Amino acid sequence: MEKSERVGTYIRPSTERQNDQHQRDSINQYIDKQNLPCDRIEQYVDIESGSNDEREQFNDLLDGIRNDEFDHVIVWEISRISRRGATLLEFFDACEEHGVTIHITDGAVGKVKPDGTGRFVADIVGMVYQHERRQLIRRVKAGVKRAKDQGKWVGNVPAGFRRDDDGYLQPVVEPDDGEDSYFELVDAIERLEDGGSYRSVAKSLSISRQGLTNIHKDPGRKRWYLDGESDDDRVATALSEVNSQDS
């Protein structure tokens, strides 16, 4: 590469918990070997899932490619670009159409050139990532279904309840800081039924006014607190503990 050529780099750790330093180090080492001046490099960084196509920095980079602002793009690995086949295809096509060479510092293919060199292998790698993503989605869905079949609670825990160590829903009897007990929610819903305002009732709770409103306006969920009943077996099992204490 000539020193006058324009370079963009793209880094994407999958979550905020992941450190992107290894990607930066790999790219910086690659740049040093190519003898590229750092003041001619545009850096783009997203902290998003590779299945999310609404990444701001990625789309800015893609716009730059389409506006002929780059001659080279450097990434640590193809999966950093995307794990979606259609997005990878779009990215590769844009680089090919606008004369941009893609440099992969850690992967089965080192470069994807505008003349098609390296594209075949890159497409295969992209297909592998897409297959892995589909497999992961299947495993997650299977795990969720298995947990539900076992009566375990999956997802956000409803107000006044907590999930025990085995994954089962339990009513909160002695709340920790930031929690509302099941009985506090019962009292709150009863006050609303008696004409209390959402604002005044919510003041004494950790739950937001909107959260309280959502419960009160949902007939099925309101039954959990007013009648101690639910059509959801997981909730009904949890409520049986409360009902047994009242009997």
Side-chain angles (χ1 to χ4, degrees):
M1 285 184 285
E2 298 178 2
K3 292 183 178 180
S4 60
E5 294 185 328
R6 300 156 299 175
V7 177
T9 68
Y10 184 69
I11 293 172
R12 182 186 65 78
S14 298
T15 67
E16 292 184 6
R17 296 178 183 177
Q18 290 185 355
N19 193 316
D20 63 15
Q21 193 59 50
H22 63 291
Q23 295 184 45
R24 294 180 182 273
D25 290 343
S26 181
I27 290 173
N28 289 337
Q29 290 169 10
Y30 183 89
I31 290 171
D32 288 342
K33 289 180 180 179
Q34 298 298 318
N35 195 27
L36 291 174
C38 292
D39 59 356
R40 299 196 62 81
I41 297 171
E42 294 290 336
Q43 295 184 333
Y44 297 84
V45 181
D46 280 311
I47 303 177
E48 298 277 356
S49 167
S51 62
N52 178 12
D53 287 342
E54 300 303 319
R55 288 170 278 151
E56 180 179 355
Q57 291 281 289
F58 173 77
N59 287 317
D60 287 346
L61 172 61
L62 194 54
D63 287 342
I65 291 169
R66 288 170 172 157
N67 291 329
D68 297 315
E69 297 175 8
F70 298 107
D71 301 296
H72 304 271
V73 171
I74 306 174
V75 297
W76 173 64
E77 192 184 61
I78 289 177
S79 66
R80 300 304 90 195
I81 299 171
S82 180
R83 289 186 177 273
R84 295 174 61 92
T87 305
L88 280 172
L89 179 64
E90 179 184 15
F91 187 84
F92 291 153
D93 284 348
C95 289
E96 187 172 319
E97 291 169 9
H98 293 271
V100 177
T101 298
I102 306 168
H103 302 257
I104 300 98
T105 67
D106 187 2
V109 56
K111 292 182 183 180
V112 181
K113 297 182 178 180
D115 64 4
T117 303
R119 177 66 184 268
F120 178 73
V121 177
D123 284 340
I124 292 176
V125 172
M127 290 172 61
V128 171
Y129 287 135
Q130 190 172 16
H131 175 71
E132 289 177 345
R133 177 173 174 269
R134 286 196 296 264
Q135 290 292 92
L136 176 61
I137 291 173
R138 290 192 189 101
R139 288 196 295 270
V140 170
K141 287 183 176 179
V144 169
K145 183 180 184 303
R146 184 165 55 251
K148 287 183 176 179
D149 290 344
Q150 294 172 349
K152 297 180 180 181
W153 187 264
V154 179
N156 293 331
V157 178
F161 295 83
R162 65 167 63 108
R163 190 166 31 220
D164 67 17
D165 293 340
D166 294 320
Y168 295 98
L169 203 63
Q170 298 290 329
V172 174
V173 178
E174 298 180 1
D176 295 328
D177 291 341
E179 277 188 319
D180 297 313
S181 76
Y182 170 79
F183 300 103
E184 286 175 310
L185 265 297
V186 170
D187 178 69
I189 300 300
E190 289 177 343
R191 288 162 61 193
L192 292 175
E193 291 288 282
D194 290 338
S197 70
Y198 293 115
R199 183 184 297 275
S200 63
V201 174
K203 282 183 178 179
S204 62
L205 300 170
S206 297
I207 189 175
S208 68
R209 182 178 62 177
Q210 185 60 54
L212 186 62
T213 302
N214 292 342
I215 294 173
H216 188 240
K217 291 187 174 181
D218 184 330
R221 291 189 65 189
K222 189 163 65 172
R223 285 178 57 217
W224 300 1
Y225 305 95
L226 293 183
D227 303 325
E229 298 177 354
S230 174
D231 294 332
D232 188 317
D233 290 341
R234 298 170 299 171
V235 180
T237 299
L239 290 174
S240 64
E241 178 181 330
V242 176
N243 294 333
S244 65
Q245 293 177 1
D246 292 339
S247 60

